[in-house]
Amino acid sequence: MTESATFAEGGCACGAIRYRLDDAPYVVHCCHCTDCRREGGSAFAVNAVIEMDRFHVEGAQPLAARLPSASGAGQVVMRCPQCMTALWSHYGGVGDKAAFVRAGTLDDPARCPPSVHIWVQSKLPWILLDPEVPTFERFYSGRDIPAVYGESGAERFRILRGR
């Protein structure tokens, strides 16, 4: 699956689904909401967000599961039909135009450190955050996007949203 333009690769626990990111994500969320904790069985979820035309999947057809999200808009979680690993989600605002890839499913998760911590109002007290990474009690607003995403990421997001 490796190509010269590949930024990162990953897949499910059993290997039935493999994917690649042809570019760096435009933002990486570290979400501390109670839904992410419960669904992932961890203290938080790290989601590398990338446009679907830069995200390629091979192997088994993933299963789509509709689940709640802290925003109230819900999400569609894509899982391996064999091992049930959650691989990526589609969220409200951009729907299926972007994949929120679970960074823990990357072959090298260190490629996608958090750009921002969200829903820190429900962060577990023993989690210590890097003071260099922006944090938001809930979610950031549109005016925060250039600072959180950087100039290039903000432009990619504008294009994705059709603005």
Side-chain angles (χ1 to χ4, degrees), residues 11-137:
C12 65
C14 74
I17 296 178
R18 294 288 301 163
Y19 65 78
R20 77 172 190 273
L21 285 65
D22 289 341
D23 201 348
Y26 62 83
V27 67
V28 179
H29 292 149
C30 183
C31 184
H32 298 270
C33 78
T34 55
D35 291 328
C36 282
R37 287 203 314 260
R38 186 173 299 109
E39 291 161 12
S42 185
F44 48 80
V46 180
N47 291 308
V49 189
I50 190 162
E51 303 91 326
M52 287 303 293
D53 64 354
R54 301 175 191 209
F55 179 66
H56 303 279
V57 179
E58 294 179 356
Q61 179 68 34
L63 294 175
R66 294 195 179 282
L67 296 173
S69 66
S71 71
Q75 65 176 305
V76 177
V77 179
M78 305 306 286
R79 296 181 176 276
C80 171
Q82 295 176 30
C83 65
M84 299 306 288
T85 300
L87 296 163
W88 72 91
S89 288
H90 298 295
Y91 284 92
V94 292
D96 61 3
K97 294 179 184 176
F100 288 65
V101 179
R102 300 300 190 277
T105 66
L106 290 165
D107 294 343
D108 182 6
R111 302 268 303 153
C112 293
S115 311
V116 62
H117 290 272
I118 55 176
W119 293 94
V120 296
Q121 71 182 16
S122 52
K123 174 185 76 60
L124 295 174
W126 45 265
I127 300 289
L128 303 177
L129 303 179
D130 180 345
E132 299 297 314
V133 178
T135 63
F136 292 88
E137 286 298 304

